[in-house]
Amino acid sequence: MPRRLLILGSTGSIGTQALEIVETSGEFELVGLSAERSWETLVAQAQRFGVPRIALADADAGARAAEAWTGGDVLAGAQGLVELVVSSGADLVLNALVGSAGLGPTVATLGEGIDLALANKESLVVGGELVTALAEATGAALIPVDSEHTALHQLMAGLPIGAVERLVITASGGPFRGRSRAELADVTVDEALAHPTWAMGGKITIDSATLMNKGLEVMEAHHLFGTPYAAIGVVVHPQSIVHGVVDLVDGASLAHMGHPDMKIPISYALHHPDLEPLASRRLRLEEVGALTFEPVDTDAFPCLRLALEAAVAGGTAPCILNAANEIAVHAFLAGRLPFLGIAAVIERTLETVEPESVRAFESLYEADRAARAAAADLVGAEVAE
């Protein structure tokens, strides 16, 4: 019997690749799709796959989709995304939404006891212990959709308790690897979007260029695997062949390797605990020749340092950091903030908005609102200077 699958963020990079996997596997029944505002693409996907219900986070886009498509139900807004999850009857939800907007659907999915394939790392960055506790309480599976976390998840499967000493997440270094802080002052949006290894959406690509992405991934690994921050490392690996390393207590290390291909972690999460064949490029080490590794330059890329400091501080600090980063990155993409201004806005937001303990999900929403307002003011101040 086909597994009933709901894909949130189906028009993005992860979502479209997931649809390609679904189309060739024949093991899934698509029960819903969503997007932020790309309603024309979403409607075309719904027609192609015979989906009965779609949702758009943007209300205006939802209204336009409802006028253009009469083949099923159209939901809109943040509540529409949650309603899509709750009413879908899905066995598995792939959350490929970008940013903190993915938290609500993550909570709805796990709250309903539905298995979650999570590509929205911000759900764990912002929600942290509340999200993992919810999964544990309802018994819903929480499977990462990320090359690094899929690597660690697969490496750790079957290891005895107490076997792991340290986790290592690799970073390509992005388009500006090797540049000094001074050399980053005048980089352009186009240069920042020219990632040397991965093809991703704009926000995630900029996070990779600033190395904020690695800070978020450290937080994600901490919550997924219950690993202390002191036992999670980041290393620059420009070839992007090694995706994760698990150091064991006996001195041995396990490495997960493969050519960069997001279909591998997507397929892993969709089919877990099974492993399905993929027509991906096979790794031949003799063809690769050499693999290199470098320490991170946190002077040139302070976003990683800021993320790790917020992670250790805990409470709402990661939420504040994430909200400020989203505002700053969007301002950079819009040409309203220089590249180095991203880290500056984040740091000053963390100084402006006082972190608090997390009492409930509402605490996170309040911190997110406050941080966005403060970051927006700081962006304006940066532009005015």
Side-chain angles (χ1 to χ4, degrees):
M1 185 173 178
R3 199 173 187 192
R4 293 168 61 85
L5 173 65
L6 168 64
I7 299 179
L8 304 176
S10 63
T11 61
S13 176
I14 298 294
T16 53
Q17 291 180 82
L19 286 174
E20 291 173 10
I21 292 172
V22 168
E23 193 167 32
T24 57
S25 74
E27 296 181 20
F28 300 95
E29 176 191 351
L30 278 175
V31 296
L33 299 170
S34 89
E36 182 178 4
R37 59 175 61 91
S38 301
W39 67 270
E40 291 173 308
T41 302
L42 185 66
V43 167
Q45 290 176 341
Q47 292 172 331
R48 178 177 176 182
F49 289 91
V51 173
R53 179 172 283 192
I54 61 174
L56 287 128
D58 182 86
D60 290 338
R64 298 183 70 178
E67 291 176 0
W69 185 57
T70 58
D73 297 327
V74 180
L75 304 172
Q79 189 55 42
L81 291 177
V82 171
E83 184 181 342
L84 179 66
V85 171
V86 172
S87 63
S88 67
D91 302 309
L92 175 67
V93 172
L94 168 60
N95 185 347
L97 297 170
V98 176
S100 59
L103 177 60
T106 285
V107 172
T109 299
L110 297 176
E112 292 293 311
I114 303 171
D115 291 346
L116 177 64
L118 186 62
N120 176 254
K121 60 174 59 68
E122 290 85 358
S123 290
L124 285 173
V125 170
V126 174
E129 285 85 358
L130 295 181
V131 168
T132 53
L134 184 58
E136 186 174 349
T138 61
L142 180 57
I143 310 299
V145 182
D146 199 339
S147 60
E148 294 82 4
H149 299 92
T150 294
L152 296 174
H153 192 275
Q154 197 165 9
L155 288 171
M156 295 171 72
L159 287 177
I161 295 174
V164 176
E165 184 172 86
R166 189 175 77 127
L167 305 180
V168 180
I169 293 172
T170 58
S172 70
F176 305 132
R177 181 179 65 87
R179 294 199 193 186
S180 68
R181 182 176 179 82
E183 292 172 326
L184 295 173
D186 298 318
V187 299
T188 67
V189 171
D190 287 342
E191 288 173 329
L193 290 173
H195 196 280
T197 307
W198 298 97
M200 305 174 289
K203 194 268 182 183
I204 297 174
T205 303
I206 301 304
D207 281 351
S208 180
T210 64
L211 292 193
M212 175 59 82
N213 207 35
K214 293 302 128 177
L216 303 183
E217 287 174 5
V218 167
M219 294 187 213
E220 191 177 4
H222 166 76
H223 294 298
L224 281 170
F225 308 116
T227 304
Y229 284 116
I232 306 174
V234 177
V235 63
V236 174
H237 169 50
Q239 294 82 20
S240 296
I241 295 295
V242 176
H243 304 295
V245 178
V246 175
D247 293 337
L248 304 179
V249 293
D250 63 1
S253 295
L254 307 177
H256 186 289
M257 299 190 293
H259 288 292
D261 184 350
M262 276 308 298
K263 281 190 177 179
I264 293 174
I266 295 169
S267 179
Y268 177 85
L270 293 183
H271 293 101
H272 188 270
D274 297 326
L275 201 62
E276 293 296 311
L278 272 181
S280 55
R281 181 184 176 194
R282 272 28 181 184
L283 178 65
R284 299 292 180 261
L285 291 176
E286 65 274 18
E287 297 172 1
V288 174
L291 301 175
T292 60
F293 303 89
E294 308 162 8
V296 176
D297 181 354
T298 52
D299 178 63
F301 302 96
C303 282
L304 177 57
R305 171 183 58 81
L306 293 170
L308 297 180
E309 289 173 354
V312 172
T316 58
C319 177
I320 294 167
L321 171 116
N322 181 76
N325 181 58
E326 289 187 16
I327 293 294
V329 167
H330 289 145
F332 170 71
L333 287 170
R336 297 188 294 110
L337 191 68
F339 184 77
L340 293 180
I342 296 173
V345 166
I346 295 167
E347 186 162 24
R348 290 167 66 184
T349 302
L350 287 165
E351 294 169 352
T352 302
V353 182
E354 190 72 25
E356 300 177 356
S357 60
V358 178
R359 301 178 301 276
F361 283 109
E362 186 54 39
S363 303
L364 300 173
Y365 295 129
E366 290 172 2
D368 181 84
R369 286 191 290 268
R372 287 177 187 277
D377 289 343
L378 289 165
V379 166
E382 284 274 335
V383 172
E385 289 178 358

